[in-house]
Amino acid sequence: MTVTIPYDPEWKAHIWAKKHCPSYTTNTILATNDSDRYALYHHSIVYYFSDACDVTMFTLRWSS
């Protein structure tokens, strides 16, 4: 299960997910092509979870 949110240079959502969501596994940059992967401010981050409850908590906290 995934949740996609805008890129945050301070990685607040990542820190929060590690602390509050036991099923959080990783994240990845959602870029239009490989050359854009380094222009992070234009992209979104996809967060991966294995539990629907954690997806719900993360979505309520970080999705706008």
Side-chain angles (χ1 to χ4, degrees):
M1 292 172 259
T2 64
V3 178
T4 303
I5 62 171
Y7 171 73
D8 169 21
E10 296 180 17
W11 292 93
K12 292 178 184 176
H14 169 73
I15 294 165
W16 189 91
K18 285 177 36 177
K19 183 175 181 180
H20 298 284
C21 301
S23 76
Y24 168 67
T25 56
T26 192
N27 62 59
T28 189
I29 299 168
L30 182 61
T32 55
N33 60 50
D34 286 339
S35 65
D36 286 342
R37 288 183 65 83
Y38 301 102
L40 294 176
Y41 52 87
H42 290 295
H43 302 297
S44 299
I45 305 296
V46 180
Y47 289 83
Y48 296 87
F49 301 87
S50 60
D51 183 353
C53 181
D54 285 343
V55 170
T56 301
M57 285 190 347
F58 186 85
T59 302
L60 289 172
R61 174 64 179 89
W62 294 101
S63 294
S64 48

